Amino acid sequence: MAFSEAETAAMTQALQLARRGVRGANPLVGAVILAPSGEVLATGYHRGAGTPHAEAAALASAAAAGADVRGATMVNTLEPCNHTGRTGPCSQAILRSGIARVAYAAADTNDAAAGGAATLAAGGVDVEGGLRGDESRELNHRWAAAAAAHRPFVTVKTAQTLDGRTAAADGTSQWITSAEARSDAQGLRLRVDAIVAGTGTIRADDPQLTARNPDGSRTEKQPLRVVMGRTPVSSGARVRGTDGRFVQIPTHDPAVVLAELYGRGVRHLMVEGGGTVAGAFLRAGLADELLAYTAPALLGAGTTAFAGLGIASMAHIQRWRWDSAGGGAAVPVGPDLRLHLEPLPDFVNEPKD
């Protein structure tokens, strides 16, 4: 494969741009447009579900700057998509732009979106893949695993003390983290398609599981509210709401929950409560990222953030790695810290017997 020095340098920039995006229903993708001289004309990255893809963002940036991209090269961290979802196919946008060459890192393994390279080649664009493909695949390894399994991408979110407690011994839990941390977490609720909690959390805390504006009002777009477990949810529980966006899935098996939600069109699920449900997803190897809002406080006893992992010795310890995507691995939020982690590429969560 023959890639120029300018394309290789541009891929480094594109990978850095991709990490600015947030994980979820779509992969992290960055794009850089190069003039025939090798000069960078424009850049873009995917900011999250429903926003322009990296390629479209780069083209829009070039247009805003008055840059002529005809005959230019686009360097992408992922093969341009070939389908219409919330946005149009990037392959067609590239063809319309007059770009002459596309150099990409990794092929898109999502059956619904794949085929962009072939479409571009058929349209007369010089297309070449494999430039730092391993780095691109590692960047999105959990997204690719979720897509291949036809299940939602899963974010486990907790609000906990330094010693990993989500409630005191008497059951009280409001508030462990600050108003700033709770407001920050609302941004995640806006991005996900569904939020799941267990019947124990519903019974103990009576949460709404809604996305809200800073003034406390509900946002126009609301996630599906999901309760996992067999205990019936009372008719007066706030989680039921009045908008029809509530479902109870009577199971303790995360895989069953994910299959049901995928069939309902959910592509990004947030696991919010409580420790038993979070632990079930972790034990099953079905947690794709972990966001732990951690307060500088100690309880010493009470409800643990992750229950039922089944780990009895250090031989089976779960080790994760810090994830700098979406703002950073450890970000101060008011007096608290937002810790962002992802499983290692070869990580299997379920302990061995």
Side-chain angles (χ1 to χ4, degrees), residues 47-132:
R47 298 172 184 267
T51 66
H53 289 188
E55 299 90 334
L59 289 170
S61 178
D68 185 0
V69 300
R70 289 174 296 178
T73 295
M74 180 177 283
V75 177
N76 299 36
T77 60
L78 190 69
E79 175 188 8
C81 75
N82 200 43
H83 82 306
T84 300
R86 298 183 192 181
T87 59
C90 291
S91 57
Q92 295 301 320
I94 293 170
L95 287 173
R96 291 192 299 269
S97 74
I99 280 177
R101 174 172 163 82
V102 170
Y104 66 92
D108 194 331
T109 57
N110 183 358
D111 292 341
T119 295
L120 289 170
V125 176
D126 177 23
V127 183
E128 194 166 359
L131 177 57
R132 300 178 67 173

Side-chain angles (χ1 to χ4, degrees), residues 186 190 211-220:
Q186 285 296 325
L190 279 171
R212 296 182 294 278
N213 294 305
D215 63 3
S217 63
R218 291 194 179 193
T219 59
E220 183 177 351

Side-chain angles (χ1 to χ4, degrees), residues 165-176 200-201 203-206 299 301-303:
R165 306 291 178 175
T166 59
D170 65 357
T172 55
S173 61
Q174 296 182 341
W175 297 103
I176 288 175
T201 294
R203 187 170 57 251
D205 298 340
D206 194 24
L299 279 171
T303 305

Side-chain angles (χ1 to χ4, degrees), residues 8 51 83 113 125 129 145 161 201-202 218 230 242 278 286 289 299 302 305 308:
T8 302
T51 66
H83 82 306
V125 176
T161 60
T201 294
I202 299 302
R218 291 194 179 193
R230 298 188 180 95
T242 58
L286 293 172
E289 72 171 347
L299 279 171

Side-chain angles (χ1 to χ4, degrees), residues 14-334:
L15 287 164
Q16 292 169 344
L17 286 165
R19 285 197 169 275
R20 294 186 187 178
V22 292
R23 297 195 185 277
N26 300 92
L28 300 178
V29 184
V32 175
I33 301 176
L34 298 175
S37 64
E39 173 193 1
V40 174
L41 294 176
T43 65
Y45 67 95
H46 186 49
R47 298 172 184 267
T51 66
H53 289 188
E55 299 90 334
L59 289 170
S61 178
D68 185 0
V69 300
R70 289 174 296 178
T73 295
M74 180 177 283
V75 177
N76 299 36
T77 60
L78 190 69
E79 175 188 8
C81 75
N82 200 43
H83 82 306
T84 300
R86 298 183 192 181
T87 59
C90 291
S91 57
Q92 295 301 320
I94 293 170
L95 287 173
R96 291 192 299 269
S97 74
I99 280 177
R101 174 172 163 82
V102 170
Y104 66 92
D108 194 331
T109 57
N110 183 358
D111 292 341
T119 295
L120 289 170
V125 176
D126 177 23
V127 183
E128 194 166 359
L131 177 57
R132 300 178 67 173
D134 287 347
E135 292 174 63
S136 176
R137 283 186 287 272
E138 182 175 325
L139 179 64
N140 289 303
H141 71 102
R142 290 299 296 193
W143 173 84
H150 299 288
R151 66 165 177 81
F153 182 92
V154 177
T155 298
V156 174
K157 174 256 177 185
T158 67
Q160 62 187 50
T161 60
L162 282 174
D163 51 345
R165 306 291 178 175
T166 59
D170 65 357
T172 55
S173 61
Q174 296 182 341
W175 297 103
I176 288 175
T177 54
S178 62
E180 294 92 334
R182 297 194 297 276
S183 177
D184 189 78
Q186 285 296 325
L188 176 60
R189 287 189 175 189
L190 279 171
R191 297 199 304 269
V192 302
D193 299 316
I195 302 172
V196 65
T199 53
T201 294
I202 299 302
R203 187 170 57 251
D205 298 340
D206 194 24
Q208 298 181 66
L209 301 185
T210 53
R212 296 182 294 278
N213 294 305
D215 63 3
S217 63
R218 291 194 179 193
T219 59
E220 183 177 351
K221 176 183 178 293
Q222 285 292 319
L224 181 68
R225 302 180 299 278
V226 183
V227 176
M228 172 182 172
R230 298 188 180 95
T231 302
V233 176
S234 70
S235 59
R238 296 197 299 170
V239 71
R240 286 188 173 275
T242 58
D243 57 3
R245 294 191 58 75
F246 163 78
V247 62
Q248 180 173 7
I249 304 176
T251 183
H252 297 144
D253 186 343
V256 173
V257 172
L258 294 182
E260 168 74 16
L261 295 180
Y262 191 87
R264 290 174 175 263
V266 172
R267 297 298 180 265
H268 187 188
L269 172 68
M270 179 167 72
V271 179
E272 182 146 357
T276 300
V277 170
F281 278 86
L282 288 166
R283 182 182 178 114
L286 293 172
D288 299 307
E289 72 171 347
L290 174 61
L291 289 174
Y293 290 86
T294 305
L298 298 168
L299 279 171
T303 305
T304 182
F306 311 109
L309 295 181
I311 298 173
S313 74
M314 287 296 293
H316 301 146
I317 190 172
Q318 288 194 17
R319 293 196 185 275
W320 292 52
R321 67 180 180 185
W322 299 109
D323 188 355
S324 62
V331 179
V333 182

